[in-house]
Amino acid sequence: MRWTVHSEKSLYTDPWIDLRIAEVELPGGRRIAHRLLRRPPGAGAVVCDDQDRVLLLWRHRFITDTWGYEIPMGGVLPGESTMAAAARETEEETGWRPGPLRPLLYAQPSNGLTDSEHHVFVTDSAERVGAPTDHWESERITWLPLARVPELVRERTLVSGTSMNALLYLYATRPRP
């Protein structure tokens, strides 16, 4: 059932995306033109505190015209480790410097369309270092109980795929206080 790639070429490229078209052969011999996005990796963090709360951004996404909670996350700079990127993004977007990070989740959020890889880390502490430097990232930053995660999913205020995956995974695997 493996598809064979015969060619791939760029249709549009900028620093964020590379929109491409690939000529692929399906099992059975049929060939199709398939569009795909090549993307640099992303990294984020689930920041917890000693009250079993998680640090979340409340933000608007103009593409879907929706509001929702998300973990801090962004792109990995050239030469930067995914863990360093997660720490940097957390501090820039929230004003909180995460404590020691450890891997939580690796995801390919839409692997039928893009090669984007998301690396999510978790920490049990953070230090407030000031206001977010990326103030345009969110309307507000809040600490919410991890126990509320299923409710946020039900009410559709947690819809970002990577944020939802990371928070539900942590909720399912974390020992309850």
Side-chain angles (χ1 to χ4, degrees), residues 26-41:
L26 306 177
R30 182 172 160 232
R31 288 188 179 204
I32 63 169
H34 194 290
R35 274 76 176 168
L36 62 132
L37 290 172
R38 299 281 184 205
R39 295 242 330 128

Side-chain angles (χ1 to χ4, degrees), residues 88-115:
R88 177 184 49 77
E89 288 289 341
T90 298
E91 189 170 329
E92 289 173 357
E93 293 181 4
T94 69
W96 288 84
R97 181 173 297 142
L101 293 169
R102 57 191 185 280
L104 175 68
L105 182 76
Y106 168 81
Q108 296 174 354
S110 188
N111 61 4
L113 177 64
T114 179
D115 65 351

